[in-house]
Amino acid sequence: MAQWARSCALCHVNGEGGAPRVGHPDEWIARVAQGETALLNHTLEGYNNMPPLGYCMDCEAEDFSALIRFMADGS
Ligand code: HEC
């Protein structure tokens, strides 16, 4: 998960800027309810304090999907 450690983790571990935290499925439930496509689009295009591509410039769409599933695990 090298990509995750230097991108998403910067905000999604401590909840920087209001980011839903990894390991806190309760913070992901309402977001996951939007559907995987909406979550992926918000990751690619940005969403409020969430920057476009989440600082992972070399991530492909499938990488983002895997990272989202990993962070939302259990929700
Ligand atoms: C600079 C901080 C930052 C980084 C880096 C970051 N995020 Fe986020 N992310 C946020 C914040 C803040 C929110 C909450 C936005 C809101 O709901 O207002 C968020 C929300 C999200 C959401 C939920 C969007 C929704 O529709 O509710 C997803 C999915 C997400 N991030 C994925 C990622 C992925 C994948 C990465 C790494 C590739 C990443 N983020 C990197 C700050 C960040």
Side-chain angles (χ1 to χ4, degrees), residues 6-22:
R6 61 175 152 76
S7 55
C8 325
L10 297 175
C11 301
H12 286 274
V13 169
N14 291 325
E16 207 63 51
R21 292 171 296 170
V22 63

Side-chain angles (χ1 to χ4, degrees), residues 7-8 11-12 16-20 28 31 34 39 42-43 47-51 53-56 64 67-68 71:
S7 55
C8 325
C11 301
H12 286 274
E16 207 63 51
W28 284 95
R31 299 179 184 274
Q34 305 175 96
L39 291 183
H42 288 159
T43 303
Y47 188 63
N48 299 321
N49 289 332
M50 160 82 197
L53 304 181
Y55 292 169
C56 190
F64 286 122
L67 291 168
I68 295 167
M71 293 199 287

